[in-house]
Amino acid sequence: MNNGQQRGTTGRSQARRAELIATGRKLFADTSYDALSMDDIAKHAGVAKGLIYYYFDSKRGYYLAIVEDSVAELVARAGGDTGLPGAERVRRTVDAYLHYAEHHHAAYRTIVTGGVGSDAEVLAIRDTVREELVATIAEGAYGRRTLPPIARLALVGWLSGVEGTTLDWIGAPSTPDQPDQPDRAELGALLVRQLRATLEVIEEFVPECPAPPGHEEPLDPLGDLAPVTGSP
């Protein structure tokens, strides 16, 4: 825990700190890190610059707190609904992941790409969220969060593909050549189908990790396009 986190321990301080982080998330969504000064941030937040230093020590500390807050929201969305059946929970995880990226473009890009100049601390945060998401998928598919190394690597490979696909999806406007980008439900169905294929490959290499049963018609994408329980 850094000094800024220690200073935000009372209820009132936590509320003030959360307000500053919310302001920062909005600012960094539209403006690059280098283009924002602490004076700019304080002006938009309606506070004295010293208050931001009090809670976060520096502009970098403030930025990292914003990234950590964004990651916490992403993990909370993707890891929710633990009481659902395994297959439905996996679909819900993918849908919630895409929902976050769809509505928080800048924060998602920061988490996935490593932030300003591939910041080492942001990359560490990204690796943490990757491990949490892999564990969430494993729990939904197998009922446990830890896997043999080759099974884990297969899921990391799938998740890396998800990140690249999602980055392209949120950054690709419709054009005359490609007027209709897939909506969240269609892209989610594609990613779930790819995950199912990955789980089947895992079963070939690690028989103690059998692929969970899919829909009765495994080649019909309509099952994966069905409404997701609890979809935001």
Side-chain angles (χ1 to χ4, degrees):
M1 179 182 291
N2 61 36
N3 292 335
Q5 290 173 313
Q6 291 173 343
R7 291 169 190 147
T9 55
T10 68
R12 185 174 179 179
S13 294
Q14 287 176 343
R16 171 60 80 179
R17 188 175 187 276
E19 290 172 0
L20 293 173
I21 287 175
T23 297
R25 284 182 62 165
K26 293 176 183 177
L27 291 174
F28 284 114
D30 300 320
T31 310
S32 69
Y33 177 88
D34 291 331
L36 275 175
S37 69
M38 289 296 271
D39 288 322
D40 295 329
I41 295 166
K43 181 179 178 180
H44 281 89
V47 300
K49 183 169 62 174
L51 186 67
I52 302 175
Y53 282 114
Y54 174 78
Y55 282 109
F56 304 103
D57 292 330
S58 64
K59 180 182 172 183
R60 174 180 168 75
Y62 183 50
Y63 177 72
L64 289 174
I66 291 166
V67 173
E68 289 172 347
D69 184 72
S70 300
V71 164
E73 182 180 346
L74 173 57
V75 170
R77 281 188 175 277
D81 294 327
T82 56
L84 291 173
E88 179 65 18
R89 184 181 177 193
V90 167
R91 292 174 63 227
R92 176 68 176 84
T93 295
V94 172
D95 182 71
Y97 182 94
L98 293 176
H99 178 275
Y100 180 87
E102 183 179 28
H103 293 277
H104 303 89
H105 289 191
Y108 180 79
R109 288 192 185 96
T110 296
I111 293 168
V112 170
T113 62
V116 181
S118 296
D119 186 293
E121 289 190 62
V122 177
L123 287 171
I125 295 171
R126 182 202 64 186
D127 291 344
T128 297
V129 74
R130 277 182 175 171
E131 289 300 324
E132 179 60 29
L133 290 171
V134 166
T136 297
I137 293 294
E139 189 170 19
Y142 303 116
R144 56 194 174 108
R145 294 173 62 85
T146 58
L147 297 173
I150 195 167
R152 175 192 161 277
L153 285 173
L155 289 182
V156 169
W158 170 80
L159 181 57
S160 296
V162 169
E163 291 172 350
T165 299
T166 303
L167 283 171
D168 189 80
W169 177 60
I170 65 175
S174 296
T175 65
D177 294 332
Q178 291 184 316
D180 298 315
Q181 286 291 324
D183 61 17
R184 193 174 85 222
E186 189 174 11
L187 179 59
L190 171 67
L191 298 177
V192 170
R193 290 286 299 277
Q194 291 175 335
L195 174 59
R196 193 181 310 160
T198 299
L199 295 175
E200 290 171 356
V201 171
I202 288 174
E203 181 177 8
E204 293 178 15
F205 282 81
V206 190
E208 61 267 32
C209 292
H215 299 290
E216 293 182 2
E217 301 293 338
L219 298 180
D220 181 4
L222 294 179
D224 292 321
L225 282 166
V228 177
T229 301
S231 178

